Amino acid sequence: GGGGVLGAATDYLLTLGLVWENNTFSGAKNIVYFDLAANMYIQTGAEFLITGITGSSEACPGGTPMCVIAIDGPFQPKVSGGTGEWRPASGELRFFTNSGVLASTRIVFEVGLRNPSSAQPPVTPSARILGLPGVPMRPSLLSGRILGSGTVPLMSVAKVEEGSSVRGAYNVLKFTFNPTFDLDEGSLITVSGLTGTQSPSGSLQIGGSFAKEYVAGRPAQISGWSAGQWNAEAGVLTFAAPASVKSIPEDRWTLCPDTCVHQFLVELLNPLTPKDHPPIQISAMLGWTEALISPTTLSNSEGVLK
């Protein structure tokens, strides 16, 4: 009637297996997070194998089948070299431990991948740990879904108004916009189609309520933040947002359209003679994710800078 010592009836298994992601923007940079734990001691040199990370557009340089990828997060110091092996065709990620890990320890790490360029059903990866003594661990399906790309950020409001239609006169253009997602710090905002003006290329001051909050008053040495970059020949104005530009819910901006959306002012010289120009459009690149808000034609643009 002795106890069950050394019965060895329990298999190696993951007692925790979670996966989630930072965003679902099509073609954008993404961060995929993992949170694992196992029921056994993991010795130095054990191999972590994550499979089923399919659909990512994160290719290896030169199209090689395998490349090195950074492993970040709290578990990174225990990852050999701080890197893993990434095989984009099969969606496999593997890395090795450089020290032991006690049973039930939370193993939290993250990798940077690029989302699919178009919508696809999300995937659920599996994980297992190899190189353990005895019976190999079977793959465990993680809880969570990733890489279900398909979200497309838009401009829910996009409008331009001019202060003067006199030929050759200074004209203050007021731009009004609202993105459907927050624009992270450093997001690039571009206005195109401003052709025909007499204003020469160079630095162009951004004014208005938006500028006071997001653009003006920044140190001059921070290029592109205290002023926009103006290309007269192309008719393009570009500037970087030095703080997160919040998306304002529709139920707010419809109640106060002049104060519950983002606005900025730009002064340009009107053409001396009537000119046609392409549609005036606004677009943006959302910070580190590099997600794109495709060019959106501004309402009223057909009558501006004529």
Side-chain angles (χ1 to χ4, degrees), residues 49-60:
L49 176 62
I50 317 293
T51 59
I53 314 174
T54 54
S56 169
S57 57
E58 187 72 27
C60 288

Side-chain angles (χ1 to χ4, degrees), residues 97-117:
T97 57
N98 60 18
S99 59
V101 181
L102 296 176
S104 300
T105 298
R106 295 279 291 276
I107 300 166
V108 180
F109 60 95
E110 60 194 60
V111 293
L113 297 173
R114 191 175 284 275
N115 282 334
S117 56

Side-chain angles (χ1 to χ4, degrees), residues 224-239:
W225 285 15
S226 58
Q229 302 304 312
W230 167 240
N231 183 322
E233 183 178 2
V236 173
L237 170 67
T238 303
F239 61 93

Side-chain angles (χ1 to χ4, degrees), residues 239-250:
F239 61 93
S244 178
V245 178
K246 299 298 183 183
S247 174
I248 301 172
E250 185 174 347

Side-chain angles (χ1 to χ4, degrees), residues 16 18 24 35 60 114 136 166 178 199 210 234 250 262 266 292:
L16 177 67
L18 304 176
T24 58
D35 189 354
C60 288
R114 191 175 284 275
V166 178
N178 184 44
S199 299
F210 174 82
E250 185 174 347
H262 300 296
V266 174
L292 295 175

